[in-house]
Amino acid sequence: MVDSVTNLGRSGVFDWMIQRVTAYVLALYAIFLFGFILTSDVNYETWSALFDQTWFRIFTLLALLSIGGHAWVGLWTVTTDYIKPTLPRFLVQAFCGLVMFVYLVWGIQILWGL
């Protein structure tokens, strides 16, 4: 078993579950948006009306959190596989985590107008 403080799920099975659940959320979000774009006359008014609905904002927030979780598990896996020295791996993981955090906060600010 991996004993790493940067591992999100603390076990391979839990990380696998995070990847699968977040992938389903992101797939549902993408399918919904694709269907919305195909079936609607997309302009500022329709797009704004969609994002004014609370259920869609929550769905978008769930998608943002899913992107963060999915990306973290994937990047953690890649960095632990390919960057063997501890300090460079930690620095890359810390940088990736910081970037994901900034994107998440920025997305929440855009979504909720905070």
Side-chain angles (χ1 to χ4, degrees):
M1 178 161 46
V2 175
D3 292 328
S4 174
V5 295
T6 57
N7 180 336
L8 184 62
R10 302 292 182 248
S11 77
V13 173
F14 194 72
D15 284 344
W16 182 85
M17 285 298 295
I18 289 171
Q19 284 292 92
R20 296 316 171 265
V21 170
T22 57
Y24 281 119
V25 170
L26 293 172
L28 288 172
Y29 189 77
I31 290 167
F32 177 84
L33 282 181
F34 187 66
F36 179 79
I37 290 169
L38 286 179
T39 60
S40 300
D41 179 31
V42 180
N43 54 33
Y44 177 78
E45 289 79 24
T46 58
W47 197 250
S48 181
L50 177 64
F51 276 91
D52 281 341
Q53 298 180 44
T54 303
W55 72 268
F56 190 71
R57 285 184 176 188
I58 292 170
F59 190 27
T60 303
L61 179 61
L62 183 61
L64 282 171
L65 294 171
S66 294
I67 287 172
H70 195 88
W72 181 255
V73 172
L75 287 170
W76 179 85
T77 302
V78 169
T79 55
T80 54
D81 284 349
Y82 294 105
I83 305 174
K84 295 302 179 186
T86 305
L87 182 61
R89 181 177 62 232
F90 175 77
L91 292 175
V92 169
Q93 290 173 345
F95 176 75
C96 291
L98 178 64
V99 169
M100 283 186 277
F101 177 75
V102 168
Y103 284 157
L104 180 63
V105 170
W106 191 18
I108 291 170
Q109 285 179 333
I110 292 169
L111 186 61
W112 295 99
L114 301 175

